[in-house]
Amino acid sequence: MDNRIIFALDVYDHDTAISLAESIGDKVFAIKVNWPIILENGIKIVKELSRYSSIICDFKLADIDNTVRLITEKARDNDAYGIISHSFTGIDSLRAVVKSAGGMRVFSVVSMSQESYMDNITEELIKTSRDAGVYGLVAPGNRPYYLKKVRENSDGMKIISPGVGAQGGDIVSAIMLGADYVIIGRSIYSSPDPVEALDNYNKNLNNNLNR
């Protein structure tokens, strides 16, 4: 079975990040980085980490066309595999991300892993994302109703799902409801043995899906 886990590397420390990437990078589909590690170490850490796995920049872009273009280009120039953008800013902003991404995969957030205003406009955000030409969608693995809704309206786009692990979501349920990949961070990197924690998630998933 192809690996279905995206590892959320939400740490500050450079050496910790590199060590985790080195030990886990080839065991996951991708590594996701967020602003904490970028603010501490600069964008070039994306290039460093890309030696160990595909890197998705979870920047949740939400700004005017030119600003999202500048940020997207920096992620692209540092060998990122993908980038995450918000979709509520509208189709012009989202299209600017897609256009600037080059070969990067663009994922747009259409539903959060906690209650938000986006719950009221999820279907509209999916349509905006589809019309903008994004590669995939971000939908919560810990909120079954919304994940199911996104899958039903996704027209086959890839779905990556946060909220599994520390936020209460179950990896098997998330995949069964339509996630292509699940995002797991704290319950792996905070474990005394991150590799073992990751292996346990994979075993649980494989055992249940192969029944």
Side-chain angles (χ1 to χ4, degrees), residues 79-136:
D79 299 336
Y81 163 83
I83 192 165
I84 295 175
S85 176
H86 269 301
S87 52
F88 63 77
T89 48
I91 194 165
D92 290 339
S93 178
L94 203 48
R95 279 177 173 160
V97 178
V98 172
K99 183 177 180 181
S100 305
M104 283 196 305
R105 305 291 195 266
V106 176
F107 300 88
S108 64
V109 181
V110 295
S111 185
M112 300 282 287
S113 57
Q114 62 184 32
E115 184 178 351
S116 76
Y117 175 74
M118 297 171 73
D119 293 344
N120 302 310
I121 55 171
T122 297
E123 291 182 27
E124 181 180 341
L125 295 178
I126 295 170
K127 182 181 185 304
T128 297
S129 300
R130 184 172 55 245
D131 292 347
V134 305
Y135 175 78

Side-chain angles (χ1 to χ4, degrees), residues 2 9 11 21 28 31 42 45-46 61 67 90 112 118 122 127-128 137-139 149 153 164 176 186-188 192 200:
D2 292 338
L9 189 57
V11 300
V28 295
I31 291 174
I45 196 169
V46 172
L61 302 175
T67 301
M112 300 282 287
M118 297 171 73
T122 297
K127 182 181 185 304
T128 297
L137 306 171
V138 182
K149 177 188 282 192
N153 290 275
V164 171
M176 295 296 288
R186 279 173 282 175
S187 55
I188 294 176
N200 287 337

Side-chain angles (χ1 to χ4, degrees), residues 18 31 37 42-43 52 78 88 104 118-119 138 142 154 158 161 171 181 188 193:
I18 296 299
I31 291 174
I37 197 170
I43 189 66
Y52 306 103
N78 282 276
F88 63 77
M104 283 196 305
M118 297 171 73
D119 293 344
V138 182
N142 61 337
S154 66
K158 295 294 184 182
S161 292
I171 187 171
Y181 303 97
I188 294 176
D193 188 337

Side-chain angles (χ1 to χ4, degrees), residues 1-7 19-31 52-54 171 181-182 188 193-203 205-206:
M1 176 180 292
D2 292 338
N3 202 291
R4 309 289 288 272
I5 294 175
I6 295 170
F7 175 47
S19 177
L20 283 165
E22 188 173 15
S23 61
I24 283 177
D26 63 349
K27 302 177 185 295
V28 295
F29 173 75
I31 291 174
Y52 306 103
S53 191
S54 298
I171 187 171
Y181 303 97
V182 294
I188 294 176
D193 188 337
V195 173
E196 181 181 41
L198 173 64
D199 287 344
N200 287 337
Y201 274 113
N202 276 322
K203 288 175 186 175
L205 183 59
N206 292 338

